[in-house]
Amino acid sequence: KSKNNGVDPQTLIDRYGADTVRLYTMFAAPPDQSLEWSDSAVEGAFRFLKSLWRLTREHASGGTPPALVVGSLSGELKTVRRHIHETIDKVSDDISRRYKFNTAIAAVMELVNHLNRLDSSDGQTLAVKQEGLEAVVLLLSPIVPHASAVLWAGLGHEDPVTDVSWPRVDDSALVRDEIELVVQVNGRKRAVISVGADADKPDCEAAALADANVKRFTA
């Protein structure tokens, strides 16, 4: 304060709203570290909230999605749903144990970007997107309570978001049917292959050696 270079948060609250200032403050640095203020970064937090608002409103405008049928999901939707529950798991740990609110917010932002790429109007796609957006709103509700309250109602819920339990991880959603392996030849990355989660060493080697780019460097 002696430098007379402090930032009056009220000015930014008047311009962007309290939720944006809260989001930026918690995203910019962990609670135990100093925060280097950046007006442009506040603008970035504002853009994220606007994109979440737009995504949620566009999704809700299509009406109530069908019930989620986990057994009928395609491989892509299984991947999205795994990302949803990995995010719930990470954010829960970041907030309750590690007190790393910045990494928790970063994980939610990454999930929102993933949900943004779902552009199909298929019923199960909408059901997965509904689950994802509900998780996002609940995970952000302690940080941006005003926006979360409105978005939760917009997703078709009558009960206020403050009365809703914290989202729980569905362990079955975290199970991978396939895993990705990086293939190196002489210490250089030459391919990324997908193999079954239960594949043994000979199966992995055969899949690696069958890759066209790996063949070039092992001929």
Side-chain angles (χ1 to χ4, degrees):
K1 289 185 289 186
S2 63
K3 303 292 185 182
N4 294 318
N5 61 355
V7 177
D8 182 0
Q10 189 60 51
T11 303
L12 289 163
I13 290 171
D14 293 340
R15 182 174 180 182
Y16 297 112
D19 277 353
T20 295
V21 178
R22 287 164 62 97
L23 180 69
Y24 166 70
T25 303
M26 300 183 77
F27 179 61
D32 58 340
Q33 297 181 17
S34 59
L35 188 158
E36 186 172 340
W37 193 268
S38 167
D39 285 355
S40 61
V42 178
E43 180 72 35
F46 186 58
R47 286 197 302 271
F48 166 72
L49 285 180
K50 285 200 299 184
S51 70
L52 174 59
W53 188 280
R54 182 173 58 254
L55 175 63
T56 306
R57 288 293 184 170
E58 289 174 355
H59 170 74
S61 66
T64 304
L68 180 64
V69 183
V70 175
S72 69
L73 297 181
S74 65
E76 179 188 8
L77 292 180
K78 285 182 180 178
T79 299
V80 176
R81 192 162 187 267
R82 183 170 64 247
H83 191 176
I84 292 169
H85 288 271
E86 286 175 345
T87 302
I88 294 172
D89 187 42
K90 174 174 174 51
V91 173
S92 300
D93 185 58
D94 282 351
I95 291 178
S96 65
R97 184 181 67 86
R98 300 177 66 236
Y99 302 115
K100 299 295 184 183
F101 303 105
N102 55 325
T103 57
I105 294 170
V108 175
M109 288 178 170
E110 184 180 344
L111 176 58
V112 170
N113 288 336
H114 203 163
L115 295 174
N116 246 322
R117 294 193 290 269
L118 285 176
D119 58 358
S120 172
S121 58
D122 169 76
Q124 286 306 293
T125 300
L126 296 176
V128 170
K129 184 178 280 191
Q130 176 80 13
E131 182 183 31
L133 288 172
E134 288 177 351
V136 166
V137 172
L138 289 174
L139 294 174
L140 287 179
S141 60
I143 301 168
V144 290
H146 307 93
S148 295
V150 179
L151 293 177
W152 185 252
L155 287 170
H157 299 283
E158 295 183 1
D159 47 340
V161 69
T162 49
D163 292 347
V164 180
S165 299
W166 189 253
R168 292 186 177 183
V169 176
D170 181 355
D171 291 330
S172 66
L174 303 180
V175 177
R176 295 174 179 264
D177 297 327
E178 291 186 339
I179 57 174
E180 288 189 341
L181 295 178
V182 175
V183 182
Q184 292 184 329
V185 180
N186 293 332
R188 291 283 191 93
K189 176 183 174 182
R190 300 302 182 187
V192 178
I193 61 172
S194 294
V195 298
D198 57 351
D200 56 15
K201 183 177 179 180
D203 290 338
C204 295
E205 290 178 346
L209 291 170
D211 182 88
N213 198 47
V214 172
K215 285 180 179 179
R216 290 177 52 210
F217 294 94
T218 55

